[in-house]
């Protein structure tokens, strides 16, 4: 198991494929890290599906509005179109590169539209650099990320079972 050096800035993602540990990067994207931790502490990500998973690119999740299994608003055909009830975030683009295991916020064409959705890169994706807000790096469990069912949209998608800040576990 990876050593968790900073439990307040580490999240543990239990997925239907296994555990994924993500080191948060508050020095790179403080507002995005704060949002991820806030939603994790509210258990907002629990049950949220991986709605867009592209081979050799990334796995996207985090639609707490339409992508959360068991919620009143769960709608598989709309998963990926929603966010949280919180305001969108101002972009925090940085020199941190999108490499295998990078966690970054999804957004619309508007750079300041990130809310709750995020993706994990399967491979290096340099064309995303300085265009999306990087907030974390997988430090354990990329083998489990690699097992997430592919699709756009995904039929019978994998999901986040739970997402917790390590300091709270």
């Amino acid at each position: 198991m990876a050593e968790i050096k900073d439990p307040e800035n580490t999240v543990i993602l239990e997925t239907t494929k296994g555990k994924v540990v993500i080191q948060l990067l508050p020095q790179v994207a403080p507002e995005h890290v704060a949002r991820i931790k806030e939603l994790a502490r509210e258990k907002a990500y629990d049950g949220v599906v991986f709605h867009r998973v592209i081979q050799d690119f990334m796995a996207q999740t985090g639609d707490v509005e339409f992508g959360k299994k068991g919620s009143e608003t769960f709608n598989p055909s709309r998963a990926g179109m929603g966010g949280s009830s919180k305001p969108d975030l101002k972009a925090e683009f940085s020199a941190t590169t999108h490499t295998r295991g990078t966690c970054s916020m999804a957004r619309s064409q508007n750079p300041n539209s990130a809310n709750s959705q995020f993706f994990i890169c399967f491979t290096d994706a340099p064309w995303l650099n300085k265009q999306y807000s990087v907030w974390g790096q997988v430090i354990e469990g990329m083998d489990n990320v690699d097992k997430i069912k592919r699709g756009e949209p995904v039929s019978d998608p994998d999901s986040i079972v739970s997402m917790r800040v390590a300091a709270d576990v």
Side-chain angles (χ1 to χ4, degrees):
M1 186 167 142
E3 183 186 351
I4 295 175
K5 295 180 173 103
D6 183 0
E8 183 56 35
N9 286 302
T10 306
V11 289
I12 301 169
L13 206 65
E14 287 292 344
T15 74
T16 47
K17 295 300 187 195
K19 182 163 90 172
V20 179
V21 180
I22 301 168
Q23 179 65 57
L24 302 175
L25 303 172
Q27 70 282 12
V28 174
E31 297 303 317
H32 288 71
V33 166
R35 172 66 54 84
I36 292 291
K37 292 188 333 186
E38 179 182 18
L39 291 169
R41 286 187 160 127
E42 292 173 359
K43 299 181 171 64
Y45 288 120
D46 296 9
V48 174
V49 299
F50 286 89
H51 65 271
R52 182 171 178 246
V53 185
I54 302 170
Q55 182 67 33
D56 298 323
F57 181 29
M58 58 89 213
Q60 186 170 330
T61 185
D63 182 347
V64 301
E65 183 177 5
F66 300 120
K68 188 177 176 89
K69 286 182 176 179
S71 73
E72 288 180 20
T73 57
F74 178 60
N75 184 338
S77 66
R78 295 199 65 198
M81 297 179 193
S84 73
S85 60
K86 300 172 191 322
D88 288 348
L89 295 164
K90 188 173 185 324
E92 293 179 298
F93 301 156
S94 69
T96 305
T97 56
H98 287 78
T99 57
R100 177 169 165 77
T102 295
C103 302
S104 194
M105 291 303 267
R107 62 172 178 81
S108 70
Q109 294 291 81
N110 177 348
N112 300 312
S113 63
N115 187 290
S116 65
Q117 291 189 47
F118 65 90
F119 58 91
I120 303 171
C121 294
F122 290 125
T123 59
D124 295 357
W127 63 91
L128 300 178
N129 294 346
K130 297 183 182 174
Q131 312 255 347
Y132 291 83
S133 298
V134 174
W135 56 265
Q137 180 67 39
V138 173
I139 59 170
E140 179 187 324
M142 264 314 287
D143 56 327
N144 293 323
V145 175
D146 289 336
K147 295 174 194 169
I148 294 170
K149 192 174 179 188
R150 308 303 199 258
E152 198 180 359
V154 183
S155 173
D156 187 30
D158 286 303
S159 62
I160 297 169
V161 176
S162 68
M163 185 168 171
R164 299 290 179 269
V165 177
D168 302 340
V169 178

